[in-house]
Amino acid sequence: MASKVKPQEQTEVSEAQIAVHWKEEGHYQPSDRFKSQANMRDPHILEKFGLDKFPDCFREYADMLTWFEPYRTVLDTSDAPFWKWFVGGKINASYNCVDRHLAKYGNKAAFIFVPEPEGEPDVVITYQELHTRVNEAAALLRGLGLKAGDRVTFHMPMVPELPITMLACARLGIIHSQVFGGFSGQACGSRIQDSGSRVLITMDSYWRNGTLVDHKANADIAVRAAKELGQDVDKVLVWQRYPGKYSAKTPMSSGRDAFVNDLLKEYKGKNVEPVALPSEGPLFLMYSSGTTGKPKGAQHSIAGYLAYVTATSKWLLDMHPDDVYWCMADIGWITGHSYIVYGPLANAGTSVLYEGVPTFPDAGRPWRIAERLGVNIFHTAPTAIRMLRKLGPQEPRKYKYQFKSMTTVGEPIEPEAWRWYYDEVGKREAVITDTWWLTETGGFLCTTVPALHPMKPGSCGPGAPGIHPVIYDETGAEIPKGSGKAGNICIRNPWPGIMQTIWGDRDRYIKTYFAKYNKSPKSKDWRDWPFMCGDGAVQAADGYYRILGRIDDVINVAGHRLGTKELESACLTVPEIAEAAVVPVQDELKGRVPEVYVAVKPGVPPSQDVIDRVVKAIEDVIGKIARPKRVYIVPDMPKTRSGKIMRRVLAAISNRRDVGDVTTLANPDVVEQIRTLVQGKDVVATREELPEDIAKFGEVE
Ligand code: WTA
């Protein structure tokens, strides 16, 4: 189990030096061909969105939408830091994404659905067809008595019925809360409870890696879990992967469960007027992990959010109506909401929706899809790039597609992977935008404007138009660019895409994102409320930001945010476990993966059975995506004298680094015991510096 690592020079490396030690990467220029067709070519765009023009500069974003009633105030700060954008206006997101395109683009594809089985034909959904299906679904939801402000939870896979149902909700002002399909039934249940949903919408089955998964089983678990937490679900609506046929083994529960395709028969051809909703009405909730065990529901607004994703799709993804755009993310995450559904559709784009795994049945699949559909804008995450490179480095060359632009999102990308993406996937012609942002921010925060700024491998770039980042140290002092010092990246100003609050928890919203750097809690001036993103970052002399990863107890596994506290409480559901600690480990493909340390209760012998049950508990409570790489049963946890588990020490051991000085711990001897258990007796740990997110792991409480 233990791997040998080379001992390195014994030097203490400070945070500041680490940053300096990185090699500066060279710049790559966008091609003239790309530049000549780009939507955003104004070299003064960043100045036009300067802080001196704030917030009025964002009127241009609102102008990209169609309003039922114009707004009166660009930004209302009276309830700081709960910002209200474009106040007084009336608008509908479904109308903006569907109806307003019918006259010009009715026969154009809105979605092209690509099923995972390669023999199944694509499903093209034109704007006209989308309109019909969204209206019928909206009529059904209205028929169930649902109305503006109600919450509905989805636990849907990557199928067109997901955006159709989202847009049906948006038409009525129902707040949708899509839970990533790969989360377990229990995880879905706790999100149902938190949002207070009485309706769950799911699908019987879907294809994943060659298997038709019985997804309905998760709905039963979710409803039971929600009930245990005190939330009743009255209706479970089940879409069928193959309409008219039930493809799951789990029985339907009579009275509670119904097939959407059966109910829809009653609503055939029905039209539902899009409701004129207030700008600052909520559009959806998106749950995300944080420092505590309870996921937080990021609440996004209708107008501000939609304006932000519309403008950033147009200018930064460079989306034109005649482009064929493919984002490989899952709609169950924020990237899919913003940049598969709302942003692309508001721009009358054509958005490809792929059901399955990128490497199924082989690493040529994405390039075959791109060639066949003429995809020219491609969007994915570093984990997929690493995976496709490992399994098929030469594959892209075999296919005759040509991207004009490509995006990377979700994790830091190492320059080596970036160069493969540029050279092989982009064939040295496509521009790359490395877009850094979060669930909470609705859309991009830092990225190059693709026709204007050179690219730099591993760095996301400057702030997007109207986004003014700043890096603070622990004391709140600004860290200047080019200093080589890392700190906490914050955004100085609000922007339309920012979340409105954490659903049902205003205090946590203030505490998580603002408390650290706000000096005046009563202030109504936005300048007093920098938004703390939760990432460490460093700014090079050229102004480009490089993101170092989360500074809270969140592990970014393959671009998915997993809260360590959530994993630890899952471990504690196994009766034999007394204590659990989860730490991030560097992984060649997934960036980071969790490793678990558990201590068993007195009298319980350590066994493989206990380990297996810990793994199963994590899969049941969170989902297979959280499956740990290894589980270690330790005699005791390394602890401070006040009893706090030193996760940082465990992280150093797991990553085969030197643990540093542990003499001040309450039980220093246990450290060597754990080290031997994990690394073996003879291993000499390296002094090589740990990445920032791991080095500081567990410091934020
Ligand atoms: C990380 C995903 C480096 C970051 C949109 C952030 C990135 C977290 C990048 C948010 C990037 C996202 N480079 N790191 N381009 N994009 N991250 O909420 O740590 O799922 O805080 O939103 O992903 O993850 P979330």
Side-chain angles (χ1 to χ4, degrees):
M1 194 153 51
S3 65
K4 289 246 177 218
V5 277
K6 264 197 255 139
Q8 292 244 324
E9 219 185 316
Q10 306 259 316
T11 46
E12 283 303 327
V13 187
S14 72
E15 214 178 87
Q17 286 167 316
I18 293 170
V20 174
H21 280 163
W22 282 321
K23 178 174 157 283
E24 263 300 299
E25 293 286 333
H27 291 93
Y28 289 62
Q29 296 297 334
S31 70
D32 289 340
R33 197 149 125 210
F34 179 82
K35 287 199 269 193
S36 65
Q37 60 80 62
N39 280 327
M40 177 39 67
R41 280 178 278 178
D42 177 354
H44 304 294
I45 189 66
L46 294 190
E47 293 95 84
K48 286 187 175 159
F49 279 75
L51 268 185
D52 54 328
K53 315 279 189 323
F54 181 86
D56 279 355
C57 52
F58 283 115
R59 285 182 184 277
E60 195 170 347
Y61 285 18
D63 288 347
M64 293 185 195
L65 302 178
T66 307
W67 295 78
F68 293 150
E69 277 176 39
Y71 63 88
R72 287 190 301 272
T73 312
V74 178
L75 173 64
D76 174 353
T77 65
S78 59
D79 188 22
F82 301 88
W83 316 119
K84 291 193 185 73
W85 281 90
F86 309 128
V87 184
K90 290 277 169 62
I91 194 160
N92 186 285
S94 181
Y95 179 87
N96 272 278
C97 289
V98 187
D99 306 48
R100 69 164 171 162
H101 304 316
L102 291 180
K104 204 160 165 202
Y105 299 111
N107 293 323
K108 195 181 96 76
F111 289 112
I112 305 175
F113 172 59
V114 180
E116 193 190 68
E118 227 167 350
E120 263 182 46
D122 301 333
V123 180
V124 176
I125 299 176
T126 64
Y127 275 94
Q128 192 61 57
E129 287 161 350
L130 184 64
H131 183 261
T132 305
R133 296 193 64 183
V134 167
N135 273 279
E136 290 173 354
L140 189 165
L141 296 175
R142 194 176 54 185
L144 291 172
L146 290 162
K147 55 181 192 317
D150 291 343
R151 280 81 55 210
V152 167
T153 298
F154 300 176
H155 196 203
M156 294 276 293
M158 277 290 283
V159 290
E161 287 75 9
L162 171 52
I164 287 169
T165 325
M166 286 164 70
L167 293 163
C169 286
R171 205 163 184 84
L172 297 166
I174 298 165
I175 305 169
H176 59 75
S177 170
Q178 153 73 1
V179 177
F180 170 57
F183 274 128
S184 67
Q186 278 190 49
C188 179
S190 64
R191 287 157 177 80
I192 290 176
Q193 186 271 333
D194 190 83
S195 63
S197 303
R198 304 189 69 91
V199 175
L200 170 64
I201 304 183
T202 187
M203 183 168 255
D204 58 353
S205 64
Y206 62 95
W207 288 100
R208 183 107 199 130
N209 231 348
T211 306
L212 190 64
V213 179
D214 179 346
H215 189 54
K216 167 63 170 58
N218 291 318
D220 295 359
I221 299 170
V223 171
R224 210 178 318 129
K227 188 169 179 60
E228 273 165 24
L229 295 166
Q231 177 66 37
D232 285 326
V233 173
D234 313 323
K235 271 269 164 269
V236 178
L237 302 184
V238 184
W239 285 98
Q240 288 156 317
R241 175 63 179 77
Y242 296 97
K245 180 177 153 204
Y246 187 43
S247 306
K249 292 213 171 63
T250 311
M252 297 285 279
S253 163
S254 84
R256 187 197 70 185
D257 301 352
F259 290 121
V260 180
N261 291 314
D262 290 346
L263 300 179
L264 277 176
K265 287 178 191 144
E266 226 183 285
Y267 299 96
K268 216 166 165 31
K270 281 267 174 334
N271 267 324
V272 173
E273 275 305 299
V275 180
L277 295 156
S279 300
E280 70 279 15
L283 180 59
F284 66 86
L285 308 179
M286 171 63 66
Y287 282 86
S288 180
S289 296
T291 303
T292 72
K294 193 170 164 355
K296 41 193 189 213
Q299 176 186 317
H300 282 287
S301 71
I302 302 172
Y305 170 83
L306 192 64
Y308 196 70
V309 298
T310 303
T312 48
S313 295
K314 182 166 182 178
W315 291 358
L316 305 171
L317 297 175
D318 196 44
M319 191 170 294
H320 302 65
D322 54 358
D323 289 322
V324 180
Y325 164 80
W326 181 17
C327 173
M328 284 208 310
D330 193 294
I331 298 178
W333 306 106
I334 191 71
T335 301
H337 274 50
S338 301
Y339 298 116
I340 296 179
V341 182
Y342 287 112
L345 291 197
N347 282 288
T350 294
S351 188
V352 175
L353 229 149
Y354 173 55
E355 178 177 31
V357 176
T359 51
F360 182 86
D362 58 67
R365 185 73 190 275
W367 324 129
R368 283 201 288 286
I369 294 173
E371 181 183 272
R372 183 162 45 83
L373 301 180
V375 173
N376 67 339
I377 309 177
F378 185 66
H379 190 155
T380 193
T383 292
I385 297 169
R386 293 184 206 112
M387 207 91 86
L388 290 163
R389 175 178 181 222
K390 185 168 181 205
L391 297 178
Q394 311 281 338
E395 285 298 308
R397 294 185 184 187
K398 299 182 188 161
Y399 300 94
K400 286 196 290 298
Y401 68 85
Q402 181 60 56
F403 300 143
K404 67 166 182 174
S405 89
M406 307 193 297
T407 301
T408 157
V409 64
E411 310 153 65
I413 182 163
E414 38 304 302
E416 212 196 325
W418 191 99
R419 275 189 279 272
W420 180 77
Y421 197 34
Y422 185 78
D423 290 340
E424 297 294 330
V425 180
K427 306 181 179 178
R428 298 198 186 172
E429 207 181 302
V431 294
I432 295 183
T433 50
D434 181 341
T435 60
W436 166 72
W437 57 296
L438 292 73
T439 300
E440 293 88 330
T441 72
F444 305 147
L445 290 179
C446 286
T447 166
T448 48
V449 179
L452 299 174
H453 302 132
M455 305 154 243
K456 185 161 87 168
S459 296
C460 49
I467 302 289
H468 299 278
V470 54
I471 300 179
Y472 290 123
D473 72 9
E474 286 302 308
T475 68
E478 280 184 31
I479 299 180
K481 69 177 178 186
S483 67
K485 231 175 141 276
N488 296 331
I489 188 163
C490 298
I491 310 300
R492 292 181 197 273
N493 58 298
W495 64 98
I498 190 174
M499 69 194 283
Q500 298 179 290
T501 184
I502 293 176
W503 176 258
D505 202 342
R506 284 172 60 101
D507 290 347
R508 190 172 175 197
Y509 177 67
I510 296 176
K511 197 165 152 246
T512 308
Y513 305 105
F514 300 99
K516 189 171 173 112
Y517 294 117
N518 168 260
K519 294 190 191 80
S520 148
K522 292 226 155 59
S523 172
K524 304 289 174 213
D525 184 342
W526 57 263
R527 290 168 194 82
D528 291 322
W529 295 94
F531 179 85
M532 190 176 86
C533 301
D535 278 309
V538 59
Q539 190 184 22
D542 62 9
Y544 280 27
Y545 293 92
R546 180 172 172 138
I547 303 301
L548 307 176
R550 301 290 312 173
I551 51 161
D552 51 8
D553 288 350
V554 166
I555 307 184
N556 190 336
V557 182
H560 305 152
R561 268 163 81 174
L562 297 177
T564 19
K565 292 286 185 297
E566 288 165 67
L567 276 120
E568 289 170 3
S569 29
C571 299
L572 294 175
T573 63
V574 176
E576 288 88 345
I577 303 301
E579 281 181 311
V582 175
V583 300
V585 181
Q586 284 177 284
D587 183 87
E588 191 201 336
L589 290 179
K590 295 183 173 175
R592 304 279 178 270
V593 289
E595 280 195 0
V596 172
Y597 290 81
V598 290
V600 286
K601 288 181 181 158
V604 177
S607 69
Q608 186 60 40
D609 176 58
V610 170
I611 291 179
D612 293 345
R613 281 192 292 126
V614 165
V615 174
K616 176 151 192 320
I618 291 174
E619 290 184 6
D620 287 349
V621 175
I622 302 167
K624 287 205 168 67
I625 49 161
R627 194 198 319 237
K629 189 167 183 187
R630 294 195 188 82
V631 178
Y632 301 107
I633 301 181
V634 295
D636 195 7
M637 297 287 175
K639 284 185 190 143
T640 60
R641 297 220 165 98
S642 59
K644 181 175 170 295
I645 298 178
M646 290 298 287
R647 289 175 180 76
R648 196 166 44 74
V649 171
L650 297 172
I653 294 175
S654 270
N655 287 281
R656 291 172 167 68
R657 299 303 208 284
D658 186 62
V659 293
D661 181 12
V662 292
T663 50
T664 56
L665 293 188
N667 51 354
D669 299 345
V670 82
V671 175
E672 184 53 24
Q673 287 178 45
I674 299 174
R675 198 195 66 75
T676 313
L677 173 84
V678 174
Q679 302 177 350
K681 261 206 177 56
D682 309 324
V683 171
V684 186
T686 164
R687 303 285 296 215
E688 187 191 332
E689 59 280 8
L690 271 168
E692 178 90 355
D693 59 317
I694 301 182
K696 287 200 167 167
F697 195 74
E699 280 183 14
V700 180
E701 279 298 304

